[in-house]
Amino acid sequence: MKLNALMDNLGSRKCAKRVGRGIGSGSGKTCGRGHKGQKARAGSRKQATFQGGQMPILRRFPKFGFNNIFAKSYATINLGEIQKFIDTGKIDAKKEISIDSLLAARILNRKMDGLKVLAKGEIKTAVNVVAVKWSKAAEAAIVKAGGTIKS
């Protein structure tokens, strides 16, 4: 095998269609565009939502709703999940449980605007949690188990 003998497989590269080269070529005169009309003109690309000039459905229906660009999204974790991860050994109960430690343990897969602790489930181990938000019931359960929660 020689480098100067390398070739593409037959049919893997297709030449562009050469239009407008006389009627004998099969794609002369109108160049495969038919006769006149919007699609025959240069630069004729209609929008996908174009409906022949009638008022499009996207403009006929009223708009509603609101997306707050300043809204924060928090990673939520329940007390039962924290206890489960401590039992399986994914989290060390002696160290602080924060969003960074949860990322390091691969419990979360991306850093969000903060950690929010909720009270679903039961916690038996004393843990130190660093969170942005938490529910009152979660705080009470953590303190009752002998741990602390702070922001």
Side-chain angles (χ1 to χ4, degrees), residues 14 31 50 57 59 64 76 80 85 96 104 106 108 119 122-123 125 134 136 138 141:
K14 194 174 178 183
C31 306
F50 186 70
I57 196 163
R59 288 185 58 198
F64 60 90
T76 57
F85 292 131
E96 278 188 341
R106 295 197 172 187
L108 300 176
E122 193 179 338
I123 191 149
T125 317
W134 55 83
K136 289 178 183 175

Short mmCIF file of all heavy atoms in Angstrom, two decimals, residues 14 31 50 57 59 64 76 80 85 96 104 106 108 119 122-123 125 134 136 138 141:
data_model
loop_
_atom_site.label_atom_id
_atom_site.label_comp_id
_atom_site.label_asym_id
_atom_site.label_seq_id
_atom_site.Cartn_x
_atom_site.Cartn_y
_atom_site.Cartn_z
N LYS A 14 -19.73 12.52 -3.95
CA LYS A 14 -20.60 12.79 -5.07
C LYS A 14 -20.39 14.22 -5.54
O LYS A 14 -20.34 15.14 -4.72
CB LYS A 14 -22.06 12.59 -4.63
CG LYS A 14 -23.04 12.51 -5.76
CD LYS A 14 -24.42 12.17 -5.24
CE LYS A 14 -25.43 12.14 -6.36
NZ LYS A 14 -26.78 11.89 -5.88
N CYS A 31 -33.20 24.94 -14.81
CA CYS A 31 -32.25 24.36 -13.84
C CYS A 31 -32.94 23.52 -12.77
O CYS A 31 -32.54 23.54 -11.59
CB CYS A 31 -31.42 25.45 -13.19
SG CYS A 31 -30.59 26.49 -14.36
N PHE A 50 -44.38 29.36 7.83
CA PHE A 50 -45.09 30.12 6.79
C PHE A 50 -46.34 29.35 6.36
O PHE A 50 -46.29 28.15 6.10
CB PHE A 50 -44.18 30.36 5.59
CG PHE A 50 -44.78 31.24 4.55
CD1 PHE A 50 -44.97 32.59 4.78
CD2 PHE A 50 -45.16 30.72 3.31
CE1 PHE A 50 -45.52 33.41 3.82
CE2 PHE A 50 -45.71 31.53 2.35
CZ PHE A 50 -45.89 32.88 2.60
N ILE A 57 -50.41 30.58 12.83
CA ILE A 57 -51.03 30.13 14.08
C ILE A 57 -50.28 30.66 15.28
O ILE A 57 -50.87 30.94 16.32
CB ILE A 57 -51.15 28.59 14.11
CG1 ILE A 57 -52.13 28.15 15.18
CG2 ILE A 57 -49.80 27.93 14.29
CD1 ILE A 57 -52.62 26.73 15.04
N ARG A 59 -49.02 33.54 15.60
CA ARG A 59 -49.41 34.93 15.84
C ARG A 59 -50.89 35.07 16.17
O ARG A 59 -51.32 36.08 16.70
CB ARG A 59 -49.07 35.79 14.62
CG ARG A 59 -47.57 36.00 14.49
CD ARG A 59 -47.21 36.94 13.37
NE ARG A 59 -47.84 38.24 13.54
CZ ARG A 59 -47.99 39.12 12.54
NH1 ARG A 59 -47.55 38.83 11.34
NH2 ARG A 59 -48.56 40.27 12.76
N PHE A 64 -48.81 34.08 26.80
CA PHE A 64 -49.00 34.20 28.24
C PHE A 64 -47.79 33.59 28.94
O PHE A 64 -46.99 32.89 28.33
CB PHE A 64 -50.28 33.50 28.70
CG PHE A 64 -50.33 32.03 28.39
CD1 PHE A 64 -49.85 31.10 29.31
CD2 PHE A 64 -50.82 31.57 27.19
CE1 PHE A 64 -49.87 29.75 29.02
CE2 PHE A 64 -50.85 30.22 26.89
CZ PHE A 64 -50.37 29.31 27.81
N THR A 76 -31.90 20.27 45.67
CA THR A 76 -32.60 19.87 46.89
C THR A 76 -32.14 18.47 47.30
O THR A 76 -31.89 17.61 46.45
CB THR A 76 -34.12 19.86 46.71
OG1 THR A 76 -34.45 19.00 45.63
CG2 THR A 76 -34.64 21.25 46.43
N GLY A 80 -33.59 11.92 54.50
CA GLY A 80 -33.53 10.48 54.28
C GLY A 80 -32.44 10.10 53.28
O GLY A 80 -31.76 9.08 53.44
N PHE A 85 -26.96 8.00 52.08
CA PHE A 85 -25.60 8.15 51.56
C PHE A 85 -24.56 7.95 52.64
O PHE A 85 -23.46 7.48 52.37
CB PHE A 85 -25.44 9.51 50.88
CG PHE A 85 -26.25 9.66 49.62
CD1 PHE A 85 -27.05 10.77 49.40
CD2 PHE A 85 -26.23 8.68 48.64
CE1 PHE A 85 -27.80 10.90 48.25
CE2 PHE A 85 -26.97 8.80 47.48
CZ PHE A 85 -27.76 9.91 47.28
N GLU A 96 -18.18 18.29 56.86
CA GLU A 96 -19.33 19.11 56.52
C GLU A 96 -19.97 18.64 55.23
O GLU A 96 -19.27 18.29 54.28
CB GLU A 96 -18.91 20.58 56.35
CG GLU A 96 -18.77 21.34 57.64
CD GLU A 96 -18.55 22.82 57.40
OE1 GLU A 96 -18.14 23.20 56.28
OE2 GLU A 96 -18.77 23.60 58.33
N ALA A 104 -18.40 16.32 44.88
CA ALA A 104 -17.22 15.45 44.94
C ALA A 104 -17.63 13.99 45.08
O ALA A 104 -16.98 13.10 44.53
CB ALA A 104 -16.32 15.87 46.10
N ARG A 106 -20.24 12.76 43.83
CA ARG A 106 -21.02 12.47 42.62
C ARG A 106 -22.50 12.19 42.93
O ARG A 106 -23.15 11.41 42.25
CB ARG A 106 -20.42 11.34 41.82
CG ARG A 106 -19.06 11.70 41.29
CD ARG A 106 -18.66 10.80 40.21
NE ARG A 106 -17.43 11.31 39.60
CZ ARG A 106 -16.90 10.80 38.53
NH1 ARG A 106 -17.46 9.77 37.96
NH2 ARG A 106 -15.81 11.31 38.02
N LEU A 108 -24.53 14.96 43.25
CA LEU A 108 -25.02 15.98 42.33
C LEU A 108 -24.10 15.98 41.12
O LEU A 108 -22.91 15.69 41.24
CB LEU A 108 -25.00 17.36 42.99
CG LEU A 108 -25.85 17.54 44.24
CD1 LEU A 108 -25.63 18.93 44.81
CD2 LEU A 108 -27.31 17.33 43.94
N ALA A 119 -37.05 18.02 54.78
CA ALA A 119 -37.18 17.13 55.93
C ALA A 119 -37.75 15.75 55.61
O ALA A 119 -38.06 15.00 56.53
CB ALA A 119 -38.03 17.79 57.00
N GLU A 122 -35.77 10.33 57.56
CA GLU A 122 -35.31 10.42 58.94
C GLU A 122 -33.79 10.42 58.97
O GLU A 122 -33.14 9.71 58.20
CB GLU A 122 -35.85 9.20 59.72
CG GLU A 122 -35.71 9.31 61.21
CD GLU A 122 -36.27 8.09 61.91
OE1 GLU A 122 -37.12 7.38 61.33
OE2 GLU A 122 -35.84 7.85 63.05
N ILE A 123 -33.22 11.21 59.86
CA ILE A 123 -31.77 11.24 60.02
C ILE A 123 -31.43 10.83 61.45
O ILE A 123 -32.04 11.30 62.41
CB ILE A 123 -31.17 12.62 59.65
CG1 ILE A 123 -29.67 12.53 59.58
CG2 ILE A 123 -31.61 13.70 60.59
CD1 ILE A 123 -29.05 13.48 58.60
N THR A 125 -27.88 10.23 62.27
CA THR A 125 -26.49 10.59 62.50
C THR A 125 -26.36 12.09 62.71
O THR A 125 -27.06 12.87 62.07
CB THR A 125 -25.64 10.18 61.27
OG1 THR A 125 -26.04 8.87 60.86
CG2 THR A 125 -24.17 10.17 61.60
N TRP A 134 -33.20 25.86 53.97
CA TRP A 134 -33.64 24.63 54.61
C TRP A 134 -35.01 24.86 55.21
O TRP A 134 -35.39 25.97 55.52
CB TRP A 134 -32.64 24.15 55.66
CG TRP A 134 -32.32 25.18 56.72
CD1 TRP A 134 -33.03 25.46 57.85
CD2 TRP A 134 -31.23 26.08 56.71
NE1 TRP A 134 -32.44 26.46 58.55
CE2 TRP A 134 -31.31 26.87 57.88
CE3 TRP A 134 -30.15 26.31 55.85
CZ2 TRP A 134 -30.39 27.85 58.21
CZ3 TRP A 134 -29.23 27.29 56.18
CH2 TRP A 134 -29.36 28.05 57.34
N LYS A 136 -37.88 24.36 58.23
CA LYS A 136 -37.83 24.38 59.70
C LYS A 136 -37.81 22.97 60.26
O LYS A 136 -37.11 22.68 61.23
CB LYS A 136 -39.03 25.15 60.25
CG LYS A 136 -38.95 26.64 60.01
CD LYS A 136 -40.19 27.33 60.55
CE LYS A 136 -40.13 28.82 60.24
NZ LYS A 136 -41.36 29.52 60.64
N ALA A 138 -36.58 20.32 58.80
CA ALA A 138 -35.26 19.74 58.54
C ALA A 138 -34.26 20.23 59.58
O ALA A 138 -33.46 19.46 60.11
CB ALA A 138 -34.78 20.10 57.14
N ALA A 141 -34.92 18.45 62.88
CA ALA A 141 -34.49 17.06 62.86
C ALA A 141 -32.97 16.94 62.96
O ALA A 141 -32.44 16.06 63.64
CB ALA A 141 -34.99 16.39 61.59
#
